[in-house]
Amino acid sequence: MSSLPYQHGRGCFITIEGTEGVGKTTNIAYIRQCLNDHGIEPVMTREPGGTDLAESIRVLLLEPRVEPMAEMTELFLIFAARAQHLVQKIKPALDTGQWVLCDRFTDATYAYQGGGRLLDKNTIGNLENLVQGALRPDLVLILDIEPEIGLQRARQRGDPDRFEQETLHFFRRVRAAYLQRVVQDPDRYLIIDAGQPLDDVQRQIKVGLQAFLLNRHPL
Ligand code: TMP
């Protein structure tokens, strides 16, 4: 499609979430392709990371170390990276009408730090308001899979990072916290059953995205 029907005004902010080994990389490429088919070329980015400084914070967060990282250290590092990412990349893109497609965002904090680490959701909410103001994703795609299956896949990829070393119980809590997010605000979320064959997963994504696009810009 050659026209750019969605490029005026503030851009849309779409995030992709899920537990380990859920197939985010493949499906993010597919989401980008779907958006391209509608004349949208999104800014591609990820969390933690997305800028030079935020990527340095990502290394601190992911690399396994002998000294255990305190939960609050982890939480503040995540929001420090996010603050940088928002100011340097996400907000400028949205403000100039570009769309942003981000591999994980604050729903991951509610899932991993809230669900996985059992940190207080109000603390996360306070940091969210402080760092983001009113900014929230317009659409969150949650790729959902049984953590057992996802972890097996993730661990085949090589040395596990600090999060991938967590227990199955941890990832069950992460998954439950993601699903809880959807219940609280169903309009902004799209759950994809990522345990299905790839064709079927991508069909679900396409249908969901088309509904979102149509809803924002009825013909
Ligand atoms: P990735 O492997 O999907 O790139 O994500 C890196 C890890 O960071 C992943 O295991 C989840 C974790 N993470 C959090 O714990 N909280 C967050 O807010 C974000 C964005 C990621």
Side-chain angles (χ1 to χ4, degrees), residues 179-218:
L179 298 178
Q180 187 61 33
R181 299 283 297 157
V182 183
V183 174
Q184 284 166 12
D185 190 0
D187 290 346
R188 276 192 320 125
Y189 291 84
L190 190 59
I191 296 196
I192 306 294
D193 179 356
Q196 300 298 314
L198 187 59
D199 275 359
D200 192 55
V201 172
Q202 297 192 332
R203 200 169 309 119
Q204 295 174 58
I205 291 174
K206 190 173 192 171
V207 169
L209 271 181
Q210 278 173 343
F212 172 76
L213 292 170
L214 206 62
N215 204 21
R216 282 191 76 87
H217 296 273

Side-chain angles (χ1 to χ4, degrees), residues 28 49 77 139 163 218:
I28 286 170
L77 283 176
L139 176 68
F163 289 100

Side-chain angles (χ1 to χ4, degrees), residues 20 24 47-48 58 62 78 82 103-105 108-109 112-113 163:
E20 314 303 304
K24 271 191 299 113
E47 288 219 345
R58 177 188 176 90
L62 264 56
I78 285 166
R82 184 161 297 141
D103 179 347
R104 297 194 187 281
F105 195 63
T109 316
Y112 281 77
Q113 282 64 50
F163 289 100

